[in-house]
Amino acid sequence: MSNTVVTARSVPFFSLEALHRERRSDMERSFSRVLDSSSFVMGRELASFEEAFASYCGTSEAIGVASGLDALVLILQGLGLGPSDEVIVPAHTFIATWLAVDHAGAKLVPVEVDPATYTIDPERVRTAITPRTRAIIAVHLYGRMADMDALNEIARPAGIAVVEDAAQAHGARLVGRRSGSLGTAAAFSFYPTKNLGALGDGGAVTTNDPKLAARIRMLRNYGSTVKYLHEMIGSNSRLDELQAALLKIKLEDLDVKNERRRAIAARYNEALQGMPGLVLPQPAGEDHVWHLYVIRSPNRDALQEALRSRGVTSLIHYPIACHRQTAYVDQAFAQDLSLSERLASEVLSLPLWPEMSDEEVDTVTEALREAVLETAQA
Ligand SMILES: Cc1ncc(COP(=O)(O)O)c(C=O)c1O
């Protein structure tokens, strides 16, 4: 039996209600325009969004695709990876980063993240490189950009591609340059809860390499640019007109929304400072867009339950390390991945969405203060 006392203090983990209220009339206008056009796939809306997103990211190319996973797979396929090629990935990430390597038919080489930033540790990448390494996937996890300068420095002289998994970091900036423009190519997800989210699945690839872009454009469309002429073994992975039109509207607000996420994270950081047993996220600047606000505690499960009983919803990103998932238990990895297992048992994501009020943030921190006391006494 649930013992949740749902009061006025209840805080959900995330909500799109206010955002959609703010832009509802623009979104409805776009919906009508697409409906009236009777053009639903690979038309003007997609071209227009691709141009806007490339310009936003500071790249020459953006290619709309069906999901973030597809974006990663298409990049790896576009790079021509095969069974003899190795791809270095962070051990602590969402499973899609790993699945993409398998779908592309290459070999996974997981390495641990830096436990302070949760992004791939460049020094561990350096020691994992072999003559077969063809790509490194740098995940900007929770919204914080990986150390792209260090990774590019390691990869470029060896002719290794650096692929940004920017699914959680739309709009993040490193010394003025946006996520999506810092490696060989980048994959974005427009899953509804992302910083830039569609009303369904969607994704994009960005790159400054026109040849790679041309291959990916072909691969997403049955390996074809001219109808019924198929030059590559492609797939069907296109961003549809309706999603493209809606995303273009939401893109206009992305920087303002990311700024509000930063303000919420700063409010959390300040209020939670010094709370016993909690590891807070490291402060960050423009290189972090706070897709998630993630704390750590060895008491994580009890804390989550104590928050739940106070009406505050928290989530875990991610509760099982990728190599411990059933899909991967049969694979042996040479590396020690115990850190990612520990992170899986300790991380806890607090509610965060841009339209969240300061009062809601304070309700969460107050509930967490009580939860920390309660679980310390238990
Ligand atoms: C880090 C990361 N990579 C890849 C993906 C895959 O994106 P999608 O769900 O759009 O396939 C996601 C999101 O779900 C993600 O968080």
Side-chain angles (χ1 to χ4, degrees):
M1 204 178 75
S2 162
N3 60 351
T4 306
V5 185
V6 180
T7 64
R9 285 168 32 121
S10 290
V11 183
F13 184 73
F14 177 78
S15 170
L16 284 165
E17 254 175 59
L19 169 65
H20 289 165
R21 216 180 308 119
E22 281 168 26
R23 298 307 302 260
R24 189 179 184 102
S25 57
D26 294 322
M27 292 170 83
E28 285 179 349
R29 240 192 320 277
S30 288
F31 176 83
S32 298
R33 189 175 67 239
V34 173
L35 186 66
D36 292 343
S37 75
S38 290
S39 165
F40 302 117
V41 180
M42 301 276 276
R44 282 189 358 219
E45 302 288 347
L46 177 62
S48 167
F49 172 69
E50 287 180 340
E51 198 185 320
F53 195 61
S55 153
Y56 177 83
C57 293
T59 56
S60 59
E61 316 273 346
I63 304 144
V65 300
S67 70
L69 172 59
D70 278 7
L72 285 167
V73 176
L74 289 165
I75 292 169
L76 299 179
Q77 289 175 338
L79 290 169
L81 264 57
S84 59
D85 299 320
E86 293 177 359
V87 180
I88 298 177
V89 297
H92 180 64
T93 181
F94 179 58
I95 194 81
T97 316
W98 284 43
L99 294 176
V101 178
D102 282 290
H103 283 300
K107 183 170 178 272
L108 271 170
V109 179
V111 304
E112 296 283 28
V113 296
D114 175 336
T117 62
Y118 307 117
T119 58
I120 198 163
D121 181 340
E123 282 320 304
R124 288 176 199 258
V125 168
R126 199 190 294 279
T127 58
I129 287 175
T130 75
R132 295 181 156 199
T133 308
R134 287 282 312 282
I136 299 162
I137 303 185
V139 182
H140 304 323
L141 200 71
Y142 306 149
R144 184 192 299 267
M145 285 174 84
D147 188 347
M148 291 300 294
D149 288 340
L151 293 170
N152 281 324
E153 214 169 277
I154 294 166
R156 286 227 170 104
I160 295 167
V162 180
V163 176
E164 292 175 81
D165 181 339
Q168 303 188 1
H170 317 68
R173 256 197 280 241
L174 203 62
V175 205
R177 292 176 318 159
R178 297 259 190 213
S179 67
S181 69
L182 291 151
T184 312
F188 288 88
S189 163
F190 301 129
Y191 184 77
T193 57
K194 296 294 196 264
N195 289 35
L196 179 61
L199 301 193
D201 277 311
V205 173
T206 54
T207 180
N208 281 313
D209 178 342
K211 286 195 183 131
L212 177 61
R215 279 197 296 278
I216 292 171
R217 281 184 198 285
M218 224 184 261
L219 284 166
R220 76 164 169 188
N221 188 35
Y222 303 112
S224 167
T225 44
V226 177
K227 205 160 188 165
Y228 304 128
L229 289 183
H230 304 277
E231 296 176 46
M232 300 172 88
I233 309 287
S235 55
N236 174 359
S237 179
R238 303 169 300 208
L239 182 67
D240 67 63
E241 289 288 280
L242 189 55
Q243 298 302 346
L246 298 171
L247 283 164
K248 195 165 172 213
I249 294 168
K250 288 195 180 180
L251 181 59
E252 290 169 10
D253 300 330
L254 180 57
D255 283 345
V256 172
K257 299 294 181 188
N258 280 342
E259 210 41 59
R260 175 65 189 148
R261 285 176 183 271
R262 286 192 188 103
I264 293 170
R267 197 174 181 89
Y268 269 139
N269 265 356
E270 199 182 324
L272 301 180
Q273 211 60 249
M275 252 187 226
L278 298 188
V279 178
L280 305 184
Q282 276 202 341
E286 287 200 320
D287 60 322
H288 205 326
V289 288
W290 299 96
H291 174 59
L292 295 168
Y293 184 90
V294 178
I295 60 170
R296 261 165 58 206
S297 162
N299 240 353
R300 190 266 316 277
D301 292 345
L303 270 187
Q304 186 177 37
E305 176 52 27
L307 284 175
R308 191 199 63 74
S309 72
R310 287 166 174 79
V312 171
T313 306
S314 59
L315 294 178
I316 296 167
H317 300 91
Y318 299 92
I320 302 173
C322 294
H323 66 285
R324 290 286 183 199
Q325 294 285 352
T326 309
Y328 284 107
V329 282
D330 295 338
Q331 289 196 34
F333 298 105
Q335 300 78 5
D336 169 20
L337 301 176
S338 50
L339 172 63
S340 63
E341 288 176 35
R342 190 169 140 217
L343 293 178
S345 71
E346 293 188 350
V347 289
L348 186 67
S349 309
L350 301 183
L352 199 169
W353 70 98
E355 297 76 20
M356 185 183 192
S357 68
D358 284 352
E359 291 68 36
E360 283 171 314
V361 177
D362 296 345
T363 299
V364 176
T365 53
E366 200 41 49
L368 193 56
R369 190 183 311 280
E370 290 172 16
V372 165
L373 283 176
E374 180 185 304
T375 53
Q377 280 156 8

